[in-house]
Amino acid sequence: MRHPEVCVCYLLREREGRLEVLLGRKKHGLGEGRLVAPGGKLEAGESPAAACVREVAEEVGLDLDQADLEARGVIDYRFPSRESWSQRSHVFVCRRWRGEASGSDELDPEWFPVDEVPLERMWDDASRWLPGVLAGGRVERSFVFGDDLATVVEPGPSVA
């Protein structure tokens, strides 16, 4: 079965000699209360990169160009206890944009040093792949979440 496609964008900046990433506290819906990067569902006929540009503008008010997005991989998320949460996420990093990050009805954005990302406030899978992506790597994985809808119970194989 093909799951809904989503995108996520990790915005990176240099500040006072440190690399920082923009995350935000999710205000409602899937992941409420967790720290997440801007992103969301692809609309009909929309490419992952186009969705990323749109979602970043909607959620944190930044204007991106698709050409500045670095595709870093794909992650399949499976929630057997709540199949409607299962999704396929396209992961991007971006280092250029216009504007200043601002809050929305979706996210309260905040910059974090990359070496101090509070992974314990994110989804359980993040510690297994996010540090590598923020360091320049790629991710092609799948994760199965347990009945609590929060804990990874089966880190799956690489995504083809």
Side-chain angles (χ1 to χ4, degrees):
M1 178 177 138
R2 191 155 174 93
H3 295 109
E5 293 194 65
V6 300
C7 63
V8 63
C9 187
Y10 293 91
L11 296 137
L12 298 175
R13 73 177 186 186
E14 278 286 330
R15 190 64 92 223
E16 298 177 10
R18 293 185 85 181
L19 187 61
E20 296 179 330
V21 61
L22 185 69
L23 302 172
R25 184 187 59 80
K26 185 87 159 93
K27 292 183 177 181
H28 58 83
L30 181 61
E32 181 177 354
R34 297 184 200 280
L35 283 180
V36 298
K41 295 176 185 166
L42 277 63
E43 294 179 353
E46 191 174 40
S47 72
C52 205
V53 169
R54 178 182 52 75
E55 288 286 349
V56 168
E58 291 173 2
E59 293 187 352
V60 295
L62 298 175
D63 185 24
L64 312 180
D65 289 328
Q66 285 187 44
D68 292 323
L69 294 173
E70 303 170 29
R72 292 295 182 85
V74 177
I75 302 172
D76 281 328
Y77 293 106
R78 302 222 168 88
F79 292 85
S81 296
R82 187 168 296 166
E83 192 58 35
S84 63
W85 284 15
S86 295
Q87 55 190 261
R88 182 173 175 86
S89 180
H90 299 267
V91 179
F92 293 91
V93 166
C94 188
R95 299 169 189 273
R96 292 173 39 115
W97 56 85
R98 291 169 296 285
E100 294 293 324
S102 59
S104 67
D105 62 346
E106 289 285 329
L107 293 180
D108 284 325
E110 184 177 346
W111 292 98
F112 293 90
V114 166
D115 58 355
E116 296 176 15
V117 170
L119 295 166
E120 70 282 356
R121 293 175 52 200
M122 301 181 78
W123 282 95
D124 188 38
D125 64 286
S127 65
R128 295 164 169 86
W129 64 270
L130 184 56
V133 164
L134 296 179
R138 293 186 49 79
V139 61
E140 305 286 337
R141 296 281 304 273
S142 64
F143 296 97
V144 178
F145 284 78
D147 291 340
D148 66 357
L149 303 173
T151 307
V152 171
V153 294
E154 182 184 327
S158 294
V159 175

